[in-house]
Amino acid sequence: MSPISVAIDGPAGAGKSTVAKLVAERLNFLYIDTGAMYRAVAYLCNKEQVNCSDGAAVSHLLSNHDFRFEEGHDMNLQVYIDGEDVTTHLRNPGVSKLVSLVAALPEVRSRLTEWQRAFAVKHSVVMDGRDIGTVVLPHATVKVFLTANVEERARRRLKEYQEQGFDVSLGELIQSMAERDRLDSEREVAPLSIADDAVKIDSTGKTINGVVEEILRLVENAHVR
Ligand code: CDP
């Protein structure tokens, strides 16, 4: 049987990764966090002091380092650069600030899109990101566009940061998330947008489990058809 794919797109902090992981777990599919891939590139640029907006320099960096992605514990995508596990650094506020810049580079997007598609050829996947239903997997079995209002998204992210010991204010977060959404939506290549055949789910005020069940029903229905 050919692999099944569930694409979950949406803006920052909409709950994509939490929901996608649970859906993948319930279906026994591989969970692919494509944001972690873009974050890995931003992390390396920062470490090597390469300008995140310089396409040629970032492309050179990608060609000269070995990136490896594996499913780790808790279904998180474990990211290795030149053999070093960098996973825990990827969600730092510093990386979050830079990531939309590298994500706007066509050279980076085409390379990462290739890596992402390779996973979906071999495995049934739940993949989350910004362009999965529109560009990476245009024939995905189920496409979901997950949103929530910006205050709720920022509150969720604040909780995550506080748990990790980062000191950020809610106001700062609302501002930085709105800015990232703007950059992601306005970029020329593969902007954040809703695929024509995606189901839009607004998670504001909904429980995680409620959203997971809604997506599982969509997968079941698509499969029966
Ligand atoms: O978790 P959060 O929604 O904050 O972000 P993420 O999924 O980790 O993605 C981080 C950034 O990577 C996004 O703001 C986008 O700039 C970029 N990204 C992208 O352009 N395309 C994807 N498929 C996934 C992420």
Side-chain angles (χ1 to χ4, degrees):
M1 219 168 67
S2 49
I4 298 169
S5 50
V6 180
I8 304 183
D9 289 304
K16 297 184 301 288
S17 59
T18 309
V19 163
K21 255 186 241 177
L22 289 168
V23 171
E25 202 172 20
R26 291 276 292 275
L27 295 169
N28 203 17
F29 289 3
L30 199 60
Y31 164 57
I32 305 293
D33 171 5
T34 63
M37 297 182 173
Y38 287 95
R39 286 172 181 274
V41 180
Y43 166 81
L44 186 62
C45 284
N46 192 31
K47 186 173 169 220
E48 299 290 320
Q49 308 218 319
V50 164
N51 177 353
C52 284
S53 301
D54 181 341
V58 179
S59 190
H60 185 74
L61 203 64
L62 273 177
S63 304
N64 286 294
H65 291 269
D66 173 48
F67 286 79
R68 203 154 43 85
F69 306 99
E70 283 175 15
E71 193 184 60
H73 58 275
D74 292 342
M75 310 205 67
N76 283 319
L77 195 69
Q78 214 73 20
V79 181
Y80 298 85
I81 302 179
D82 301 326
E84 185 197 344
D85 184 352
V86 299
T87 316
T88 54
H89 304 300
L90 301 182
R91 302 202 69 83
N92 291 356
V95 171
S96 300
K97 270 211 180 108
L98 295 174
V99 64
S100 288
L101 299 176
V102 296
L105 300 172
E107 301 90 334
V108 171
R109 301 209 70 86
S110 64
R111 193 86 60 103
L112 267 52
T113 297
E114 239 173 71
W115 293 345
Q116 291 155 10
R117 285 182 181 151
F119 277 109
V121 169
K122 287 199 205 129
H123 310 271
S124 286
V125 292
V126 178
M127 199 177 277
D128 78 343
R130 302 291 188 285
D131 61 338
I132 311 305
T134 49
V135 175
V136 180
L137 304 174
H139 304 297
T141 320
V142 167
K143 298 181 187 178
V144 171
F145 193 87
L146 193 61
T147 59
N149 69 36
V150 72
E151 286 79 14
E152 175 140 345
R153 293 192 278 120
R155 266 196 303 276
R156 290 175 186 164
R157 192 49 51 93
L158 182 68
K159 196 162 157 260
E160 262 176 44
Y161 278 156
Q162 283 171 339
E163 281 163 7
Q164 293 169 26
F166 292 118
D167 181 24
V168 219
S169 74
L170 185 65
E172 268 175 309
L173 265 180
I174 292 179
Q175 213 179 10
S176 76
M177 285 172 100
E179 174 62 3
R180 196 139 63 87
D181 290 347
R182 189 186 66 76
L183 289 171
D184 288 345
S185 308
E186 290 179 1
R187 70 176 172 230
E188 273 175 34
V189 194
L192 171 66
S193 65
I194 310 180
D196 292 339
D197 49 352
V199 176
K200 192 170 168 183
I201 301 179
D202 185 341
S203 71
T204 314
K206 284 187 183 167
T207 64
I208 291 169
N209 270 338
V211 176
V212 169
E213 291 299 332
E214 224 172 309
I215 297 175
L216 288 172
R217 271 197 303 276
L218 292 173
V219 178
E220 209 172 290
N221 290 342
H223 213 46
V224 172
R225 265 191 269 129

